[in-house]
């Protein structure tokens, strides 16, 4: 459901909804029959992506992670061997940015507009992709791209972009004990 509107039945996963620059909402989902889809709130249009394998997980926007670690943006295979995927963010011109960590420990960002993938070698192996260019390392270090921005982080929220594409990432620092 989106509000009171039923948009699909027999859904196995739903991605985090993303907002376009005109405040239109995009909701990705996988049906239990294995069909990857995207619902657009403004006109009620549902688009399907037949290249996405059955059993994949909807991440958000048009991003899906297959059980074998293949990462899809719509019908396009953008990476293989993916261990984690962050929530996609949309820029002010509705370009999608998708952060992911490979199973070999490489932090990367895929940009939909030109298919460019950039890597961040300073992000430690075993980190988790959060979104945009944000990664949380196993030791609690929070990276935005190659920059260490905080330590002792217990959790990080979904990054968001302002209308001038400045990124904001909420996070919680673990309390320290004064024994």
């Amino acid at each position: 459901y989106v509000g009171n509107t039923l948009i699909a039945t027999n859904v196995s996963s739903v991605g985090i909804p993303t907002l376009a620059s005109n405040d239109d909402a995009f909701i990705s989902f996988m049906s239990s029959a294995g069909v990857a889809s995207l619902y657009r709130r403004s006109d009620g249009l549902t688009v399907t992506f037949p290249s996405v394998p059955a059993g994949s997980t909807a991440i958000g926007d048009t991003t899906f992670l297959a059980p074998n670690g293949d990462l899809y943006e719509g019908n396009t295979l953008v990476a293989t061997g993916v261990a984690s995927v962050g929530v996609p963010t949309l820029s002010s011109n509705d370009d999608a940015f998708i952060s992911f960590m490979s199973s070999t420990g490489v932090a990367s960002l895929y940009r939909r507009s030109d298919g460019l993938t950039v890597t961040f070698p300073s992000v430690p192996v075993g980190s988790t992709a959060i979104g945009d260019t944000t990664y949380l390392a196993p030791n609690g270090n929070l990276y935005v791209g190659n920059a260490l921005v905080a330590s002792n982080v217990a959790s990080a929220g979904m990054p968001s972009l302002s209308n001038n594409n400045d990124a904001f990432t909420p996070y919680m620092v673990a309390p320290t004990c004064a024994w």
Side-chain angles (χ1 to χ4, degrees):
Y1 283 86
V2 173
N4 287 320
T5 303
L6 175 64
I7 64 168
T9 59
N10 297 315
V11 172
S12 60
S13 71
V14 178
I16 301 293
T18 52
L19 287 178
S21 59
N22 65 354
D23 290 334
D24 196 4
F26 299 102
I27 302 159
S28 60
F29 61 95
M30 288 294 298
S31 74
S32 54
V35 178
S37 302
L38 176 76
Y39 172 82
R40 189 168 59 204
R41 180 180 62 195
S42 63
D43 58 8
L45 179 68
T46 298
V47 178
T48 60
F49 305 104
S51 295
V52 176
S56 294
T57 300
I59 305 297
D61 190 46
T62 56
T63 306
F64 301 88
L65 184 61
N68 68 350
D70 287 351
L71 180 62
Y72 286 83
E73 193 283 313
N75 284 315
T76 303
L77 175 64
V78 299
T80 60
V82 172
S84 70
V85 181
V87 176
T89 52
L90 295 180
S91 68
S92 61
N93 65 351
D94 294 333
D95 193 5
F97 296 91
I98 305 162
S99 295
F100 60 95
M101 287 294 297
S102 73
S103 55
T104 58
V106 178
S108 302
L109 177 77
Y110 172 82
R111 187 170 61 207
R112 175 173 57 203
S113 63
D114 57 9
L116 179 69
T117 298
V118 295
T119 60
F120 305 104
S122 295
V123 176
V125 172
S127 296
T128 300
I130 305 297
D132 193 37
T133 58
T134 307
Y135 305 87
L136 184 58
N139 67 355
N141 285 344
L142 184 67
Y143 289 83
V144 175
N146 285 314
L148 174 63
V149 296
S151 297
N152 203 29
V153 173
S155 65
M158 182 177 81
S160 59
L161 296 177
S162 68
N163 61 358
N164 65 353
N165 295 327
D166 195 11
F168 297 89
T169 305
Y171 62 90
M172 293 289 299
V173 174
T176 57
C177 295
W179 294 78

